[in-house]
Amino acid sequence: MNYKTENIWKTVDAKTEDQIQRFSGQYASFMDKNRTEREFIRSTVEFLEKKGFKELSEVETLDSGSKLYALNREGAVLAAVTGKKKLNQGINLIGAHVDAPRIDLKPRPLFEEKELAFFTTHYYGGIRKYQWVTLPLALHGVVVKQDGSRVNIAVGMNPEDPVFYITDLLPHFAGKQREKKLKEAIKAEQLNVLVGSRPAAEDKSQRKNSELGDNELTPVKKALLKLIKARYDLEEEDLISAELQLVPAQKSRDVGLDGTLLGSYAHDDRVCSYTALRALTAVEKPEKTAAIILVDREEVGSMGSTGMQSRFFENALARMLTRSSPDYSDLLLRETLENSTALSGDVTAGFDPDFAEIASRNNTSLLNHGINMTPYTGARGKGGASEASAEFRSRIRRIWNENQVAWQATEMGEVDKGGGGTIAKFLANYNISVLDCGPAVLSMHSPFELASKADIYHTWLAFKSYLES
Ligand code: MN
Ligand code: MN
């Protein structure tokens, strides 16, 4: 047959439209509730447990249809529904990442200048710095005190919460800034977040900040530390053992008049994480074991104990095997990996008429035309890409066609103009057949990314049909 794709909305019936809108609404509220990796993973575990999944250590033996999960800190989770076939005959896996570009606080964040107090920051992932100024930001994360007790912080998403803010230059005096290259106009060290301006009452003395000794507190900082102590029972040093992030305070919203597009922070790649989670929890007694792995750290190269390069995945798989095969051996684990296949779910760049010049000739992704099959990512001559084999592409094409999934075959952008990559190559290192796929977004990595609700729904369908195959 000829290759042909169609805009999903063109032929959508009332029932499907209703399903698409309902799914999008559920996804949007999950996104608004979970702004950080930890929050997303915590809610994922909550959702899994509600659907009858048990922590692996609570499961003694695995039978067909067992539902289980393994948690790695609060940064990664492997969840599975065991199949009728043995584990070492391979699993159908979906991998996706839950981290997103954002602005982190430095280990010693709080400082004061001219009676304004700021948190100084260090950005995480590929942000375009100019997009993060003059924007309401929320502060989310955890602080672990010296005694090991934990304080969860979440300020800025509720309408009654205050927000945080990075300033920008007024246009009247921006002559020089305007001439700078876009990437230099806002510097990383200028991404300081305003946190307060009220001096401590007892510091009304005439002493200037400049006259204070190194270890003496400036008045606004002093007042803020007192407030932080009163409100959260935290000392300044506690902020060192913390993971605090500034994320956009803007909730997910419909974009445009016709209900087709959803704007949200962190579609990349919580859209694949969420649809994978929903797909797995919709699977009952599959032939092969169906599994998803959601990981952190992708935006910084998948390094770290909670990233895809961590041993967590194979460790958890080994623990699963000991519960299904009394004759566990390392070879059995290697066999399981080699016989498995994976979809590496991640977003790609949708065609944007305002930036048409970066589109890959005849291979660009269109919003509303379904999930993208992206055989390879990488840059230049496919550098850094783990390319999906013709055989695996064939299998996925068949599954999606048989299940009426709207899909398109695309590249991320014009050859030699840029590129990207995700966790596929780290799954491929296990000798797993892997294919990149996911919905398109516009304004990727911005504080408010755009995706098509129909594409999100079909990503779910695509994942579900694959896990059931
Ligand atoms: Mn991504
Ligand atoms: Mn990304």
Side-chain angles (χ1 to χ4, degrees):
M1 66 191 113
N2 292 336
Y3 172 81
K4 188 173 140 265
T5 68
E6 205 173 49
N7 188 310
I8 297 161
W9 301 107
K10 245 163 105 177
T11 53
V12 77
D13 57 55
K15 194 179 146 216
T16 313
E17 167 93 39
D18 185 57
Q19 283 167 343
I20 292 173
Q21 296 297 346
R22 205 144 24 100
F23 192 91
S24 169
Q26 290 160 350
Y27 167 61
S29 46
F30 202 84
M31 294 294 268
D32 294 342
K33 191 176 157 227
N34 303 297
R35 305 304 272 185
T36 68
E37 300 69 51
R38 282 175 182 264
E39 289 170 358
F40 197 96
I41 292 291
R42 278 207 291 271
S43 289
T44 296
V45 167
E46 221 170 83
F47 189 86
L48 287 167
E49 286 185 341
K50 229 185 279 169
K51 296 284 179 185
F53 284 69
K54 291 210 157 52
E55 211 285 316
L56 187 51
S57 54
E58 291 171 30
V59 185
E60 265 169 39
T61 52
L62 295 180
D63 311 305
S64 159
S66 295
K67 296 175 177 180
L68 56 105
Y69 72 88
L71 180 65
N72 180 14
R73 299 168 170 86
E74 274 183 342
V77 67
L78 173 75
V81 181
T82 49
K84 291 173 193 149
K85 289 183 179 166
K86 284 192 156 173
L87 261 177
N88 61 332
Q89 289 178 272
I91 60 179
N92 287 330
L93 179 74
I94 300 169
H97 69 92
V98 296
D99 61 318
R102 59 176 193 251
I103 297 176
D104 289 344
L105 298 198
K106 286 189 186 179
R108 289 185 285 123
L110 189 59
F111 75 97
E112 175 181 344
E113 214 170 301
K114 290 275 180 222
E115 298 179 339
L116 292 175
F118 299 89
F119 282 146
T120 178
T121 65
H122 195 139
Y123 67 96
Y124 171 95
I127 68 164
R128 311 191 72 195
K129 298 176 193 86
Y130 74 90
Q131 294 177 337
W132 291 75
V133 296
T134 67
L135 199 72
L137 298 168
L139 181 71
H140 279 227
V142 299
V143 184
V144 182
K145 301 206 278 187
Q146 192 166 257
D147 65 6
S149 64
R150 193 167 87 171
V151 179
N152 289 323
I153 307 284
V155 184
M157 289 305 288
N158 295 320
E160 64 272 20
D161 285 351
V163 293
F164 300 85
Y165 187 83
I166 300 169
T167 59
D168 194 6
L169 198 53
L170 66 169
H172 316 63
F173 285 85
K176 220 170 153 191
Q177 187 197 41
R178 205 177 291 125
E179 302 302 321
K180 286 184 180 171
K181 286 184 182 160
L182 197 54
K183 67 173 189 179
E184 289 156 8
I186 303 287
K187 292 204 170 77
E189 291 288 353
Q190 283 175 328
L191 297 176
N192 296 311
V193 180
L194 259 174
V195 271
S197 63
R198 186 195 297 271
E202 62 270 29
D203 268 280
K204 277 182 179 154
S205 65
Q206 294 305 305
R207 286 208 314 158
K208 290 184 188 140
N209 283 1
S210 56
E211 291 163 8
L212 293 172
D214 275 354
N215 290 319
E216 283 185 90
L217 289 172
T218 46
V220 179
K221 179 173 172 178
K222 185 172 181 180
L224 272 170
L225 285 173
K226 203 171 151 193
L227 183 153
I228 289 168
K229 173 76 183 163
R231 200 169 290 173
Y232 302 105
D233 192 26
L234 293 173
E235 316 271 352
E236 187 179 17
E237 200 184 284
D238 291 327
L239 299 180
I240 294 170
S241 47
E243 292 168 34
L244 291 168
Q245 317 178 355
L246 290 148
V247 293
Q250 170 65 57
K251 288 190 176 183
S252 309
R253 299 285 288 269
D254 269 25
V255 172
L257 291 172
D258 58 9
T260 54
L261 304 172
L262 182 72
S264 179
Y265 165 63
H267 279 314
D268 176 12
D269 184 36
R270 293 179 190 156
V271 67
C272 290
S273 299
Y274 181 79
T275 46
L277 171 67
R278 289 290 304 269
L280 181 73
T281 52
V283 167
E284 297 281 345
K285 299 217 170 186
E287 279 299 310
K288 276 185 169 183
T289 294
I292 61 170
I293 180 157
L294 308 184
V295 289
D296 189 11
R297 315 290 303 168
E298 190 271 352
E299 297 293 357
V300 293
S302 297
M303 329 297 196
S305 55
T306 52
M308 193 62 239
Q309 296 201 65
S310 146
R311 285 281 159 84
F312 162 69
F313 172 54
E314 51 185 299
N315 292 353
L317 208 56
R319 286 169 62 211
M320 274 172 71
L321 275 166
T322 58
R323 284 162 173 82
S324 63
S325 317
D327 54 341
Y328 175 82
S329 72
D330 188 56
L331 191 61
L332 205 62
L333 173 62
R334 308 280 143 216
E335 224 171 70
T336 306
L337 288 163
E338 280 193 341
N339 290 332
S340 296
T341 58
L343 293 183
S344 170
D346 207 345
V347 299
T348 191
F351 179 76
D352 182 341
D354 281 333
F355 301 99
E357 70 277 9
I358 63 140
S360 171
R361 189 170 205 172
N362 200 44
N363 281 270
T364 193
S365 166
L366 298 177
L367 281 185
N368 298 319
H369 283 240
I371 187 171
N372 295 269
M373 172 187 284
T374 308
Y376 46 85
T377 58
R380 300 171 308 277
K382 305 187 179 181
S386 62
E387 191 159 351
S389 68
E391 287 83 354
F392 192 41
R393 294 185 211 180
S394 152
R395 180 182 154 205
I396 297 303
R397 188 160 72 94
R398 178 175 48 76
I399 295 168
W400 288 350
N401 282 338
E402 283 173 1
N403 288 279
Q404 286 80 49
V405 173
W407 64 277
Q408 47 187 325
T410 62
E411 283 193 343
M412 199 177 172
E414 192 184 303
V415 187
D416 279 351
K417 276 214 173 140
T422 179
I423 62 169
K425 55 180 175 283
F426 305 118
L427 289 165
N429 286 346
Y430 293 111
N431 201 12
I432 294 176
S433 290
V434 56
L435 171 72
D436 282 287
C437 60
V441 298
L442 302 190
S443 309
M444 196 190 293
H445 284 200
S446 76
F448 196 65
E449 304 172 321
L450 278 194
S452 146
K453 295 179 189 176
D455 292 344
I456 296 171
Y457 183 76
H458 276 267
T459 299
W460 171 71
L461 274 183
F463 285 171
K464 183 169 168 286
S465 58
Y466 162 72
L467 291 178
E468 283 170 342
S469 71

